[in-house]
């Protein structure tokens, strides 16, 4: 099965070189990647409604004979109008920018076609705009999956490609877990689960949930087995960092005393570093809880003993901010700290690598650039990984393994601001001990949070103007980069908001921009040249702009509470009052609105994470995100918590080979 899933996309009928390249730009590299682009919903497409029984505003399938076809306008932007009729009435179809349809023989007068779309009544006549259509003889009634757009392809085109991919799934294709899970009570094979989700015979929700769980079980078992192996490897000797006074000097010099939560976390870490055994700990601290101070104390302890320490961050922006903060804290103790990223110039990079190799440079902060083979340390004893869920297991271990032969193992401290309930964190990060920091440092005000509807743009714009007039800055978050049939893009919102705030120098930010351009945009925002930043969740971590006092989040119901809390943490970074506006989509359910109200009443990340689990339960059969959360393809930590906990407690005796690990962990293990 995994050899099949790793085949090139060109194996699928309809995917040529140009389309393959477009899909690869969206992390769809192989057949398996496309087949794991699961439906977001299903429609019952079994009934053909006569034209006489159509209803205004209802999505419906009907059919009829092409009575006439005409074009209006000029060139490729022509509008094509088709009149469809039957014994029970007539309906007019409108297609814009569709001159090519005038030459399609399937739409000739007298042909019978089947159409599906939203019916409208206009000037006494039924009509549809851009309906899906097919020759009536080719229509097969059934339950149709609905897909998100992908790489500029409509959901309908994605469905066609996936159906072509499914034809390649021969019955002999099995995974190593098929037999094992069958013995544990699963009646579905991996292949059967894929077919059921993409081509359901009925809309039995329980069976769809079962199929989804079958695919996700394979992913979580592979991941947890990897954690179990790393836990075994972590049990070894390491340097005991006792003979130093630098961390005590830093502790005394901090602008504020440590909070109770910071002090407890530092006690755990300090005890680990002094124990003589390898530290392998995860520090989970709420947004703004002061994890950087604790990290600085650990780095001071390592440097004070004459060893080296390195901090790995997922983005250049975050790495640079860490380097600046750590320099302020550690330079008075006589410790130099340098920054290594993909943007570091060749000469500076050569000098920095030589200093690390010789031991002259004790402390370094960097991005993935720290993980390349030419980065070697004289005696690395402490590796810190910030936002460690954004790195693969091998990546965060890769830094900790950069020690010379004969030296003791490297202590590893992972850090994350993502709130995950303790029991779930112990399952997900079973290779690490856990310290949790709750609460905020002194001087911070809770961010005032409100849930509003999309029709409140005018009063919202007035409030935004007051923030701007007072010297504040504003984040506006949209759920995606591109415009598609699902919703709103960065560019769309930039253009809309320019109409309201022409003097605000709006800029758009998303993850596909080059690192240099991202940095320029963020520099403009932090320097106040840009007053409103429209962005995707790329600003979720690592962006620290104290003058930002308002964050607006569109389609807020599509995010988990933990992620909303992370985004809210971009504001409230000064003593000024800050605000978070959660805009609910027009189709948000009452339960979704009730879930968002949790954000109004709570500012504790762990409390919100627990509420998310209680409110969202085990989730729906199909997910809205394909990858990105802790490197998972299908798993959603909040929605699939029960499944994760189950396999943590009932792990089968299974050891995935390299090919299986590569298939399930590509996003987490790749170096970007």
């Amino acid at each position: 099965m995994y050899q099949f899933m790793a085949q090139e996309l060109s194996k699928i009928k309809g995917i040529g070189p140009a389309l393959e390249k477009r899909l690869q730009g969206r992390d769809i590299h192989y057949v398996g990647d496309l087949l794991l682009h699961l439906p977001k919903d299903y429609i019952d497409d079994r009934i053909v409604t006569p034209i006489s029984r159509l209803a205004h505003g209802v999505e419906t399938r009907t059919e009829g004979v092409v009575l006439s076809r005409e074009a209006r306008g000029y060139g490729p932007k022509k509008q094509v109008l088709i009149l469809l009729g039957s014994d029970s009435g007539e309906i007019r179809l409108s297609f814009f920018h569709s001159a090519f349809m005038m030459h399609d023989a399937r739409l000739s007068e007298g042909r019978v076609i089947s159409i599906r779309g939203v019916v409208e009544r206009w000037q006494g006549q039924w009509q549809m705009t851009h309906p899906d259509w097919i020759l009536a003889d080719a229509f097969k009634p059934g339950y149709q999956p609905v897909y998100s757009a992908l790489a500029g392809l409509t959901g309908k085109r994605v469905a066609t490609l996936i159906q072509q991919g499914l034809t390649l799934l021969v019955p002999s294709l099995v995974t190593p877990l098929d037999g094992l899970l069958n013995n544990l009570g699963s009646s579905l094979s991996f292949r059967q689960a894929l077919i059921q989700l993409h081509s359901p015979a009925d809309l039995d929700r329980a069976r769809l949930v079962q199929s989804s769980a079958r695919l996700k079980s394979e992913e979580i078992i592979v991941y947890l087995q990897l954690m179990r192996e790393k836990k075994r490897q972590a049990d070894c000797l390491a340097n005991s960092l006792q003979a130093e006074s630098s961390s005590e000097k830093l502790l005394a010099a901090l602008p504020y005393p440590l909070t109770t939560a910071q002090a407890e976390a530092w006690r755990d870490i300090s005890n680990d570093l002094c124990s003589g055994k390898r530290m392998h700990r995860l520090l989970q601290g709420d947004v703004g809880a002061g994890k950087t101070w604790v990290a600085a104390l650990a780095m001071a302890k390592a440097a004070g003993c004459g060893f080296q320490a390195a901090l790995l961050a997922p983005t250049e922006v975050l790495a640079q901010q860490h380097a600046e903060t750590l320099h302020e804290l550690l330079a008075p103790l006589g410790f130099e700290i340098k920054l290594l990223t993909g943007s570091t110039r060749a000469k500076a990079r050569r000098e920095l690598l030589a200093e690390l190799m010789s031991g002259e440079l004790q402390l370094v902060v960097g991005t993935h650039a720290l993980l390349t083979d030419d980065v070697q340390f004289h005696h690395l004893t402490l590796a810190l990984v910030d936002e460690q869920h954004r790195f693969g297991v091998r990546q965060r271990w890769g830094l900790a393994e950069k020690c010379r032969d004969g030296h003791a193992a490297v202590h590893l401290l992972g850090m994350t601001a993502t709130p995950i309930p303790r029991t779930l964190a112990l399952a997900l990060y079973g290779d690490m001990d856990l310290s949790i920091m709750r609460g905020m440092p002194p001087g911070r005000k809770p961010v005032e949070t409100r849930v509003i509807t999309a029709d409140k743009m005018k009063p919202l714009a007035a409030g935004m103007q007051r923030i701007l007039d007072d010297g504040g800055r504003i984040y506006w978050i949209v759920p995606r980069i591109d415009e598609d049939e699902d919703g709103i893009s960065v560019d769309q919102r930039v253009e809309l908001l320019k109409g309201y705030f022409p003097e605000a120098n709006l800029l758009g930010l998303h993850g596909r921009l080059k690192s240099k351009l991202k940095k320029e945009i963020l520099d403009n925002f932090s320097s106040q040249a840009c007053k409103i930043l429209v962005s995707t969740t790329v600003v979720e971590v690592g962006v620290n702009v104290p003058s930002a006092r308002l964050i607006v989040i569109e389609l807020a119901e599509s995010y988990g509470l933990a992620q909303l809390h992370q985004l809210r943490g971009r504001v409230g970074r000064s003593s000024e009052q800050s605000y978070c506006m959660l805009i609910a989509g027009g189709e948000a359910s009452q339960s979704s609105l009730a879930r968002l109200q949790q954000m109004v009443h709570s500012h504790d990340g762990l409390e919100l994470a627990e509420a998310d689990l209680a409110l969202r339960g085990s989730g729906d059969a199909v997910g809205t995100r394909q990858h990105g959360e802790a490197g998972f393809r299908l798993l959603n930590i909040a929605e699939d918590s029960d499944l994760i906990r189950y396999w943590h407690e009932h792990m089968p005796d299974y050891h995935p080979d390299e090919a299986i690990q590569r298939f399930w962990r590509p996003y987490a293990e790749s170096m970007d």
Side-chain angles (χ1 to χ4, degrees):
M1 172 64 82
Y2 286 107
Q3 287 181 327
F4 164 80
M5 300 288 268
Q7 289 186 102
E8 301 294 329
L9 288 168
S10 56
K11 293 286 185 181
I12 296 176
K13 184 180 178 182
I15 298 182
L19 180 53
E20 184 174 29
K21 187 175 180 180
R22 280 167 60 190
L23 289 167
Q24 287 171 346
R26 299 299 182 83
D27 290 329
I28 306 294
H29 297 276
Y30 305 105
V31 170
D33 298 332
L34 184 62
L35 293 183
L36 289 184
H37 185 78
L38 298 180
K40 62 179 182 178
D41 202 357
Y42 299 90
I43 57 174
D44 184 346
D45 199 16
R46 296 174 299 163
I47 299 172
V48 178
T49 303
I51 294 175
S52 61
R53 294 175 57 191
L54 296 178
H56 177 77
V58 178
E59 184 175 337
T60 312
R61 177 169 294 281
T62 188
E63 68 177 32
V65 178
V66 176
L67 301 178
S68 66
R69 174 175 56 168
E70 62 175 307
R72 294 179 181 175
Y74 301 93
K77 294 186 178 181
K78 284 180 181 176
Q79 178 186 6
V80 174
L81 300 174
I82 294 174
L83 183 63
L84 209 63
S86 71
D87 293 341
S88 65
E90 296 180 351
I91 183 170
R92 184 173 296 277
L93 316 179
S94 300
F95 299 88
F96 296 94
H97 300 261
S98 302
F100 63 92
M101 295 181 72
M102 291 300 296
H103 309 290
D104 194 323
R106 295 173 297 173
L107 296 172
S108 302
E109 292 182 15
R111 302 299 295 269
V112 182
I113 63 172
S114 177
I115 58 171
R116 184 181 183 90
V118 177
V119 182
E120 296 175 306
R121 188 75 172 173
W122 178 253
Q123 294 182 342
Q125 186 174 36
W126 293 118
Q127 67 176 27
M128 282 187 190
T129 302
H130 275 283
D132 290 335
W133 66 273
I134 192 173
L135 288 174
D137 291 343
F139 168 64
K140 296 179 180 178
Y143 299 94
Q144 304 298 332
V146 180
Y147 297 91
S148 298
L150 182 65
L153 303 178
T154 65
K156 183 180 177 183
R157 180 83 187 279
V158 172
T160 300
L161 294 177
I162 287 175
Q163 290 302 316
Q164 289 292 341
L166 290 177
T167 64
L168 305 175
L169 271 175
V170 297
S172 59
L173 291 172
V174 296
T175 76
L177 274 171
D178 278 339
L180 187 61
L181 293 184
N182 186 51
N183 292 336
L184 294 174
S186 173
S187 60
L188 285 175
S189 69
F190 189 89
R191 174 181 172 275
Q192 289 169 332
L194 267 179
I195 292 173
Q196 173 65 25
L197 288 169
H198 288 300
S199 299
D202 54 51
L203 288 188
D204 181 343
R205 301 303 293 187
R207 186 164 176 81
L208 290 172
V209 168
Q210 181 189 24
S211 299
S212 179
R214 171 62 188 86
L215 300 185
K216 292 176 178 180
S217 291
E218 191 127 349
E219 179 170 33
I220 193 60
I221 289 170
V222 169
Y223 173 81
L224 292 177
Q225 183 58 45
L226 194 55
M227 291 296 97
R228 182 176 289 184
E229 179 58 31
K230 293 301 182 185
K231 180 71 171 176
R232 284 194 289 266
Q233 294 175 20
D235 187 13
C236 59
L237 300 177
N239 286 306
S240 176
L241 307 182
Q242 296 188 46
E244 57 86 30
S245 59
S246 299
S247 61
E248 291 299 321
K249 291 177 181 176
L250 175 58
L251 194 57
L254 290 173
Y256 300 101
L258 295 183
T259 64
T260 301
Q262 285 175 313
E264 290 176 354
W266 172 233
R267 185 163 54 250
D268 289 343
I269 292 164
S270 183
N271 289 340
D272 286 350
L273 294 174
C274 293
S275 69
K277 295 190 69 176
R278 182 184 205 171
M279 175 176 71
H280 212 240
R281 183 169 293 277
L282 174 63
L283 175 60
Q284 181 183 359
D286 214 339
V287 177
K291 295 184 297 297
T292 306
W293 283 11
V294 176
L297 288 167
M299 295 180 82
K301 195 171 188 67
C305 289
F307 299 121
Q308 291 172 302
L311 189 153
L312 178 65
T315 67
E316 290 198 11
V317 172
L318 184 53
Q320 183 172 356
Q321 289 182 359
H322 275 315
E324 292 170 357
T325 303
L326 292 169
H327 173 76
E328 291 176 8
L329 293 170
L330 298 172
L333 301 176
F335 298 128
E336 183 182 19
I337 189 159
K338 289 190 176 181
L339 177 66
L340 178 64
T341 72
S343 300
T344 304
R345 294 188 178 277
K347 182 181 178 183
R349 178 185 172 85
R350 286 195 301 271
E351 292 173 354
L352 191 152
L353 294 187
E355 291 171 358
L356 287 177
M357 176 72 84
S358 68
E360 179 184 348
L361 179 63
Q362 288 185 277
L363 304 175
V364 65
V365 175
T367 58
H368 294 82
L370 277 176
L371 300 175
T372 57
D373 291 339
D374 59 343
V375 177
Q376 297 294 326
F377 292 83
H378 178 68
H379 197 162
L380 180 67
T381 199
L382 172 64
L384 303 96
V385 183
D386 194 22
E387 292 304 321
Q388 63 102 42
H389 64 285
R390 297 194 170 213
F391 294 93
V393 180
R394 293 175 185 171
Q395 286 179 328
R396 65 179 189 253
W397 274 72
L399 180 59
E401 289 168 356
K402 282 185 174 287
C403 56
R404 292 185 176 182
D405 293 342
H407 285 170
V410 176
H411 296 288
L412 177 63
L413 177 64
M415 299 186 292
T416 182
T418 301
I420 304 172
R422 185 179 188 88
T423 55
L424 191 55
L426 289 172
L428 285 169
Y429 306 114
D431 59 324
M432 309 182 88
D433 298 314
L434 182 64
S435 293
I436 296 177
M437 283 170 44
R438 303 180 83 153
M440 300 287 287
R444 296 277 182 90
K445 295 179 180 177
V447 177
E448 188 173 322
T449 305
R450 299 173 193 167
V451 180
I452 61 176
T453 53
D455 59 357
K456 296 293 192 291
M457 186 61 198
K458 283 190 176 180
L460 175 59
M464 292 171 68
Q465 189 61 58
R466 289 193 293 273
I467 293 286
L468 296 176
D469 292 343
D470 199 30
R473 297 294 170 263
I474 299 171
Y475 294 102
W476 187 291
I477 307 300
V478 298
R480 56 185 56 80
I481 299 170
D482 298 309
E483 179 181 353
D484 56 35
E485 76 267 24
D486 294 337
I488 309 142
S489 72
V490 170
D491 289 342
Q492 279 180 312
R493 273 301 169 257
V494 168
E495 291 307 310
L496 173 74
L497 293 172
K498 278 181 179 177
Y500 285 91
F501 309 101
E503 306 299 321
N505 189 24
L506 278 102
L507 293 174
L509 179 71
H510 56 75
R512 286 198 215 121
L513 296 175
K514 302 278 187 185
S515 294
K516 183 178 179 182
L517 183 54
K518 280 188 206 171
K519 185 176 183 302
E520 287 177 5
I521 291 169
L522 287 169
D523 285 347
N524 277 325
F525 187 58
S526 58
S527 70
Q528 304 195 13
C530 163
K531 298 178 181 179
I532 300 177
L533 181 66
V534 180
S535 177
T536 59
T537 55
V538 70
V539 298
E540 185 179 342
V541 296
V543 180
N544 184 27
V545 181
S547 61
R549 292 180 47 210
L550 169 63
I551 185 166
V552 181
I553 305 173
E554 282 200 78
L555 294 178
E557 74 278 5
S558 65
Y559 300 94
L561 295 183
Q563 190 172 27
L564 288 173
H565 182 63
Q566 284 276 84
L567 289 166
R568 181 170 62 180
R570 296 310 96 207
V571 297
R573 293 176 165 260
S574 70
S575 58
E576 297 289 329
Q577 181 62 56
S578 294
Y579 305 89
C580 173
M581 297 295 171
L582 305 175
I583 303 180
E587 298 181 2
S589 64
Q590 288 301 311
S591 61
S592 294
L593 294 173
R595 190 170 64 85
L596 291 179
Q597 286 296 328
Q598 296 284 326
M599 293 288 297
V600 176
H601 306 298
S602 176
H603 292 81
D604 184 296
L606 280 173
E607 183 180 292
L608 288 168
E610 294 281 7
D612 221 8
L613 294 183
L615 290 167
R616 289 166 71 159
S618 59
D620 295 324
V622 290
T624 56
R625 54 191 310 181
Q626 295 300 309
H627 69 81
E629 187 174 27
F632 292 124
R633 282 180 177 272
L634 300 177
L635 280 162
N636 180 300
I637 290 174
E639 293 178 355
D640 299 314
S641 57
D642 290 344
L643 189 66
I644 294 168
R645 289 191 181 106
Y646 175 83
W647 287 119
H648 177 62
E649 296 168 3
H650 302 86
M651 268 293 288
D653 185 16
Y654 170 65
H655 300 280
D657 63 25
E658 196 68 23
I660 295 173
Q661 290 184 35
R662 273 199 308 272
F663 176 77
W664 281 114
R665 303 296 299 162
Y667 307 112
E669 310 307 345
S670 62
M671 304 246 311
D672 42 9

